[in-house]
Short mmCIF file of all heavy atoms in Angstrom, two decimals:
data_model
loop_
_atom_site.label_atom_id
_atom_site.label_comp_id
_atom_site.label_asym_id
_atom_site.label_seq_id
_atom_site.Cartn_x
_atom_site.Cartn_y
_atom_site.Cartn_z
N GLY A 18 3.92 6.14 1.94
CA GLY A 18 2.49 6.11 1.65
C GLY A 18 1.75 7.35 2.11
O GLY A 18 0.60 7.57 1.70
N MET A 19 2.38 8.19 2.93
CA MET A 19 1.76 9.47 3.30
C MET A 19 1.55 10.35 2.07
O MET A 19 0.60 11.12 2.01
CB MET A 19 2.64 10.21 4.33
CG MET A 19 2.66 9.60 5.71
SD MET A 19 1.03 9.54 6.49
CE MET A 19 0.71 7.79 6.39
N PHE A 20 2.45 10.22 1.09
CA PHE A 20 2.27 10.94 -0.18
C PHE A 20 0.97 10.48 -0.84
O PHE A 20 0.14 11.31 -1.26
CB PHE A 20 3.46 10.68 -1.10
CG PHE A 20 3.31 11.28 -2.47
CD1 PHE A 20 3.65 12.60 -2.71
CD2 PHE A 20 2.82 10.52 -3.53
CE1 PHE A 20 3.50 13.16 -3.97
CE2 PHE A 20 2.67 11.06 -4.80
CZ PHE A 20 3.01 12.39 -5.03
N SER A 21 0.78 9.18 -0.93
CA SER A 21 -0.44 8.63 -1.54
C SER A 21 -1.69 9.05 -0.77
O SER A 21 -2.73 9.33 -1.36
CB SER A 21 -0.36 7.10 -1.58
OG SER A 21 0.79 6.67 -2.26
N ALA A 22 -1.56 9.11 0.57
CA ALA A 22 -2.70 9.53 1.40
C ALA A 22 -3.12 10.95 1.06
O ALA A 22 -4.31 11.27 0.99
CB ALA A 22 -2.34 9.41 2.88
N GLY A 23 -2.14 11.82 0.85
CA GLY A 23 -2.45 13.20 0.47
C GLY A 23 -3.15 13.28 -0.86
O GLY A 23 -4.13 14.02 -1.04
N VAL A 24 -2.66 12.51 -1.83
CA VAL A 24 -3.30 12.47 -3.15
C VAL A 24 -4.74 11.97 -3.02
O VAL A 24 -5.68 12.58 -3.56
CB VAL A 24 -2.52 11.56 -4.12
CG1 VAL A 24 -3.27 11.41 -5.44
CG2 VAL A 24 -1.11 12.10 -4.37
N MET A 25 -4.92 10.87 -2.29
CA MET A 25 -6.26 10.27 -2.17
C MET A 25 -7.25 11.20 -1.49
O MET A 25 -8.43 11.25 -1.88
CB MET A 25 -6.18 8.94 -1.43
CG MET A 25 -5.57 7.82 -2.25
SD MET A 25 -5.70 6.18 -1.46
CE MET A 25 -4.43 6.30 -0.20
N ASP A 26 -6.82 11.96 -0.48
CA ASP A 26 -7.75 12.86 0.20
C ASP A 26 -8.25 13.94 -0.75
O ASP A 26 -9.44 14.30 -0.73
CB ASP A 26 -7.08 13.48 1.43
CG ASP A 26 -7.11 12.54 2.63
OD1 ASP A 26 -7.74 11.47 2.54
OD2 ASP A 26 -6.52 12.89 3.68
N VAL A 27 -7.38 14.46 -1.60
CA VAL A 27 -7.81 15.46 -2.58
C VAL A 27 -8.79 14.84 -3.57
O VAL A 27 -9.81 15.46 -3.93
CB VAL A 27 -6.59 16.05 -3.32
CG1 VAL A 27 -7.05 16.90 -4.52
CG2 VAL A 27 -5.76 16.91 -2.37
N LEU A 28 -8.52 13.61 -4.00
CA LEU A 28 -9.43 12.94 -4.93
C LEU A 28 -10.80 12.72 -4.30
O LEU A 28 -11.84 12.93 -4.95
CB LEU A 28 -8.84 11.59 -5.35
CG LEU A 28 -7.50 11.60 -6.10
CD1 LEU A 28 -7.07 10.17 -6.41
CD2 LEU A 28 -7.58 12.42 -7.37
N MET A 29 -10.81 12.31 -3.03
CA MET A 29 -12.09 12.10 -2.33
C MET A 29 -12.83 13.41 -2.15
O MET A 29 -14.05 13.49 -2.33
CB MET A 29 -11.86 11.41 -0.99
CG MET A 29 -11.55 9.94 -1.10
SD MET A 29 -11.63 9.06 0.50
CE MET A 29 -10.04 9.49 1.19
N GLU A 30 -12.11 14.46 -1.78
CA GLU A 30 -12.73 15.78 -1.62
C GLU A 30 -13.33 16.27 -2.92
O GLU A 30 -14.31 17.03 -2.92
CB GLU A 30 -11.68 16.77 -1.12
CG GLU A 30 -11.24 16.54 0.32
CD GLU A 30 -9.96 17.25 0.69
OE1 GLU A 30 -9.41 17.99 -0.17
OE2 GLU A 30 -9.49 17.08 1.83
N SER A 31 -12.77 15.82 -4.04
CA SER A 31 -13.24 16.24 -5.36
C SER A 31 -14.33 15.33 -5.91
O SER A 31 -14.79 15.53 -7.04
CB SER A 31 -12.06 16.29 -6.34
OG SER A 31 -11.05 17.16 -5.86
#
Side-chain angles (χ1 to χ4, degrees):
M19 289 299 108
F20 175 85
S21 304
V24 174
M25 287 189 284
D26 279 354
V27 170
L28 298 179
M29 285 192 280
E30 290 164 2
S31 302

